[in-house]
Every structure is written in C-alpha cells, then in structure tokens.
Amino acid sequence: MTPQSSALVEFAIALPLTLLVAFLGKNAAALPRIRFADIDGHEVCAVRCPRSPEPVFVAQGGSTDLWVRVGNSTRAFGVDEAVTYVARHFKPSLGDLLRPRR
C-alpha cells in the first residue's frame, strides 16, 4: 500500500466516523458509500448518498434543520414545512405502529 493509498483509506474511515456522525448522526452516517478512482492521474473521491428510510436532520451551529432537495438545489425547511414534508414522504413502519410511545 502506497502512502497515498494509505491516506485515502484513512480518509474513507475518518469521514463517516467524524464529520458525518457529527452533522447527521450515527444512523445517517452509515448510509453513504465512499469510493476512490484515478481519473487522468488525479485521485477522485466519490460519495454516494442513498435515500434514508427516515428523515435526517442536520446539526450545525446551535440548530438542527431538515434539508431537502428541491429541484436542483438543497434548502432548509422551517418547522411547519418539515412536519408536512415528513408526513408526506416518510410513512411509519409496522414496528413504529406496534411500539408504544414514550
């Protein structure tokens, strides 16, 4: 393993364990898949983020917000927009319905 490939492996391990967990939480940080490719002599990192089965809120600064893709942009939703969006896009699972509320 070359020093460069060793650094890439460290990066691929550190990204989900630090940045993604800090901003998205443990469950969402487990979703992205990280790959590296050599393109025209340049090492490129590709991060694929599949759709989450549950809403993912981003923690930054002192707030936690729901960010949603709207067309070709990403926007933060206010509480009223977030509640409506979650109700429309995330249906409760059977487990959610059977588990008692706390």
Side-chain angles (χ1 to χ4, degrees), residues 43-76:
E43 200 71 34
V44 176
C45 175
V47 180
R48 181 177 176 273
C49 299
R51 180 182 173 140
S52 173
E54 57 191 26
V56 176
F57 294 85
V58 178
Q60 60 184 29
S63 68
T64 301
D65 302 308
L66 177 67
W67 288 78
V68 176
R69 290 293 297 171
V70 178
N72 65 349
S73 65
T74 304
R75 300 180 188 232

Side-chain angles (χ1 to χ4, degrees), residues 5-89:
S5 63
S6 176
L8 294 176
V9 169
E10 288 179 30
F11 174 78
I13 292 169
L15 180 64
L17 292 179
T18 55
L19 292 175
L20 296 179
V21 169
F23 288 102
L24 304 177
K26 293 175 190 170
N27 290 334
L31 294 172
R33 298 293 172 244
I34 301 168
R35 291 187 169 188
F36 295 94
D38 187 314
I39 299 177
D40 296 330
H42 298 282
E43 200 71 34
V44 176
C45 175
V47 180
R48 181 177 176 273
C49 299
R51 180 182 173 140
S52 173
E54 57 191 26
V56 176
F57 294 85
V58 178
Q60 60 184 29
S63 68
T64 301
D65 302 308
L66 177 67
W67 288 78
V68 176
R69 290 293 297 171
V70 178
N72 65 349
S73 65
T74 304
R75 300 180 188 232
F77 275 24
V79 173
D80 55 338
E81 295 169 311
V83 168
T84 301
Y85 182 87
V86 168
R88 288 185 182 160
H89 290 86

